[in-house]
Amino acid sequence: MIEFLKFIGIANPSGSGWLIVIFTFVVAWVVTWRFMPKVRQFALKVGWADQPNARRLNKEPLPNAGGLAIFAGVIAALIVATTLRPILIQEVQVQVLAILLGGAILVLVGFVDDQFGLPPLFRLLVQFLAALLLVAVDIRFHAAFGTALDPLLGAILTVVWIIGVTNAINLMDGIDGLAGGIAFITAMSLLAVSAQNPQWAAATLVLAALAGAALGFLRHNFYPSKIIMGDAGAYFFGYVLAATALLGSLKVTTVFSLVPTALFLLLPILDTTQVFIRRLLRQQNPLSTPGKDHIHHRLLAQGFSQRRTTVTLWAITLSFNLVAMQVQGVNPLVIGVTAVGITFLLGFTVWRRLRAVWKEASQSPISPSQAP
């Protein structure tokens, strides 16, 4: 058993750390899955919902507080991990706390924006400060061009990366299940990479919790969704993924040094880039101008259903992540196991969601207009 675990890339298979990682994933999965209906009920009661309009696809008020349950699932899982293995957590405590603090700030800002609206520049300022928090604890790119400006350049690249990915995930959250699935696939792929190195324990723990929470959320978010994550959840996913992707030894000596890291999040990056360019060419503010110019909107316009669009973009995301793992030098067997694991867990979650939808439909009373 130990030899097999070594073969698939577990850094320390003889210890209990890898069991804690699996348990962290399961706790986040279950807590988010079970807590989400309660959040939905409360959100509908107090009016935390997106109202239908010309830009949105929902036809009735849709609760937008799913990010709160996602955040709660991640925190609960990491608290359990701390209780079971306090020594393991102490070794990476500063980095974990910095990521969670920055994520908590963005959850709060995103939630307020969901309910009341905030100016784009204010949101950008908060994201900038959250990115600086990571730089302060050395979660950053390390420029190595041999100049006195290397530390400053590394900090600038880090801030641009954090803000860019945070907003990219948020902008991808346009149809049911898309952003949550992208977050799950990316978190699982990064988890497979970080699990091979004991020095990346902070990334491994946080990614296990994030992946579990994303999967628990998808149980309620695949079309037709019961609840959406809102800006709170999208900012949290984007920020944490961007931060954990930087926890390895990332030396930037050329522009191409950024490619292996960027490949994990290439679909959101490409989508956001093309949206920004198109809006700038139309002389519109990319940060505040709504529109249907994302990749998922184009697929819908071509006749794809929401489910088909979501699954198609999941598959593209998985392909990019598998390539990224290969570029990182990950063992082909680890890549294969990761691909199978991601596909199985997503397939199981989608099947459970669709089964619940079909059951609801079969039990709903037939209206007089539908009667034969």
Side-chain angles (χ1 to χ4, degrees):
M1 181 64 176
I2 290 179
E3 290 302 318
F4 174 74
L5 292 173
K6 284 183 179 179
F7 194 54
I8 63 172
I10 303 299
N12 183 22
S14 59
S16 60
W18 65 277
L19 291 173
I20 298 301
V21 170
I22 294 175
F23 193 67
T24 300
F25 173 88
V26 173
V27 170
W29 182 5
V30 173
V31 169
T32 306
W33 166 42
R34 302 298 294 178
F35 189 43
M36 199 67 68
K38 302 296 183 183
V39 172
R40 179 181 183 275
Q41 291 173 8
F42 186 77
L44 284 173
K45 183 177 179 180
V46 299
W48 294 345
D50 280 0
Q51 302 300 321
N53 60 34
R55 186 169 64 93
R56 295 192 177 113
L57 298 174
N58 55 299
K59 305 302 181 183
E60 57 185 29
L62 188 61
N64 58 13
L68 300 182
I70 291 168
F71 182 70
V74 171
I75 295 299
L78 292 175
I79 288 174
V80 171
T82 303
T83 304
L84 295 176
R85 280 290 299 272
I87 295 177
L88 180 64
I89 298 298
Q90 286 173 9
E91 293 173 355
V92 295
Q93 192 171 37
V94 173
Q95 292 180 328
V96 170
L97 290 178
I99 292 172
L100 293 180
L101 176 58
I105 292 170
L106 292 182
V107 166
L108 175 60
V109 170
F111 178 74
V112 173
D113 184 49
D114 286 330
Q115 312 313 326
F116 308 106
L118 289 172
L121 287 179
F122 177 79
R123 301 199 304 266
L124 194 62
L125 174 62
V126 174
Q127 292 168 12
F128 175 75
L129 295 175
L132 286 183
L133 173 64
L134 298 179
V135 174
V137 297
D138 203 35
I139 300 176
R140 55 182 296 174
F141 286 111
H142 294 272
F145 293 100
T147 70
L149 294 177
D150 282 358
L152 177 61
L153 178 60
I156 292 172
L157 286 173
T158 302
V159 170
V160 171
W161 169 259
I162 297 295
I163 293 176
V165 172
T166 298
N167 285 287
I169 296 296
N170 186 42
L171 290 172
M172 290 296 292
D173 188 26
I175 59 174
D176 294 343
L178 180 56
I182 289 173
F184 172 72
I185 293 167
T186 306
M188 288 291 287
S189 301
L190 289 169
L191 175 60
V193 175
S194 66
Q196 300 177 78
N197 194 328
Q199 297 177 348
W200 298 348
T204 303
L205 283 174
V206 175
L207 287 166
L210 194 73
L215 196 64
F217 168 69
L218 283 172
R219 176 65 176 80
H220 304 277
N221 183 244
F222 191 74
Y223 182 85
S225 66
K226 292 282 191 178
I227 189 170
I228 59 176
M229 68 176 74
D231 286 355
Y235 284 166
F236 183 67
F237 274 138
Y239 179 81
V240 175
L241 287 172
T244 50
L246 297 179
L247 283 172
S249 301
L250 298 172
K251 300 291 185 183
V252 178
T253 55
T254 67
V255 173
F256 296 105
S257 303
L258 302 174
V259 171
T261 302
L263 278 172
F264 286 101
L265 291 153
L266 188 58
L267 180 62
I269 290 171
L270 290 177
D271 181 59
T272 301
T273 302
Q274 65 92 18
V275 167
F276 266 59
I277 292 174
R278 289 176 183 273
R279 292 180 183 178
L280 288 173
L281 291 176
R282 294 196 300 263
Q283 297 183 342
Q284 297 173 330
N285 185 344
L287 295 175
S288 60
T289 304
K292 292 189 175 182
D293 46 6
H294 293 279
I295 293 173
H296 51 271
H297 290 131
R298 297 180 183 281
L299 291 176
L300 291 172
Q302 291 179 15
F304 279 51
S305 66
Q306 282 204 53
R307 288 174 185 163
R308 186 181 175 191
T309 298
T310 296
V311 173
T312 298
L313 295 178
W314 282 358
I316 293 172
T317 300
L318 179 58
S319 299
F320 284 148
N321 274 266
L322 297 180
V323 171
M325 293 173 69
Q326 187 173 22
V327 171
Q328 295 273 10
V330 177
N331 187 305
L333 179 61
V334 176
I335 296 175
V337 170
T338 303
V340 171
I342 289 172
T343 304
F344 171 78
L345 290 171
L346 281 176
F348 175 75
T349 301
V350 167
W351 172 70
R352 289 295 303 271
R353 175 74 190 114
L354 293 179
R355 193 178 72 162
V357 170
W358 296 330
K359 186 176 180 181
E360 267 184 37
S362 66
Q363 293 177 348
S364 61
I366 300 176
S367 65
S369 62
Q370 294 173 314

